[in-house]
Amino acid sequence: MKSLFSLDFTTDVSPLDTVKALLEDEDTPALPKDDENYAAALVTGTREHLEAIDSVLDTLSDEWKVKRMAGVDRNLLRMAAFEMYFSPQKIAPAIAISEAVEIAKIYGGDDSPHFINGLLGTLVRNHGKD
């Protein structure tokens, strides 16, 4: 999520380089190699499908278009949508939603968990699951 958030503000850094920089940061705990690889795939994949993901999210949110959403919320929604619909692992909606909500409790605002849960629930209801 932190890598995706930072990519909202930079155009001259690749998604993979952003993940590598975060993983090399001394404040980031060491991760197993499989987790590092998944983080890289999640960020690069989310960015590759960004236009399609944002387009769908825009149709679901009446009051907050993606560009106007809080950065944490926006990127958690994008990540979860990628995991459910584009990732080769095709994460189950319940798992992707639960993970996004838990991260929102840590990094988002007071309303973030409810907002993310509701919007992702609507996404699954309206667009099904492959």
Side-chain angles (χ1 to χ4, degrees):
M1 194 271 310
K2 289 180 181 181
S3 292
L4 289 169
F5 184 86
S6 70
L7 286 166
D8 278 348
F9 303 100
T10 59
T11 57
D12 59 340
V13 180
S14 76
L16 189 55
D17 287 341
T18 304
V19 173
K20 286 180 183 178
L22 181 64
L23 292 173
E24 292 170 357
D25 186 292
E26 63 185 39
D27 293 332
T28 302
L31 296 175
K33 193 64 174 170
D34 286 348
D35 290 348
E36 287 183 9
N37 292 339
Y38 185 73
L42 182 59
V43 171
T44 57
T46 299
R47 292 301 289 193
E48 287 171 6
H49 296 280
L50 193 63
E51 189 175 313
I53 292 168
D54 283 359
S55 176
V56 170
L57 292 174
D58 270 340
T59 66
L60 300 176
S61 179
D62 294 331
E63 296 180 32
W64 293 101
K65 296 305 177 194
V66 173
K67 299 267 188 247
R68 293 191 57 226
M69 291 176 188
V72 169
D73 297 355
R74 173 177 54 242
N75 285 295
L76 287 172
L77 290 165
R78 288 170 170 169
M79 263 187 356
F82 171 76
E83 285 183 310
M84 291 187 289
Y85 294 100
F86 296 102
S87 173
Q89 287 86 7
K90 299 285 188 189
I91 304 299
I95 293 170
I97 294 169
S98 177
E99 289 174 352
V101 168
E102 290 304 312
I103 295 169
K105 289 177 183 177
I106 298 167
Y107 295 105
D110 291 341
D111 295 330
S112 294
H114 178 73
F115 175 70
I116 288 168
N117 186 56
L119 198 58
L120 290 175
T122 301
L123 173 65
V124 172
R125 282 189 301 280
N126 290 358
H127 293 278
K129 175 71 179 94
D130 293 327

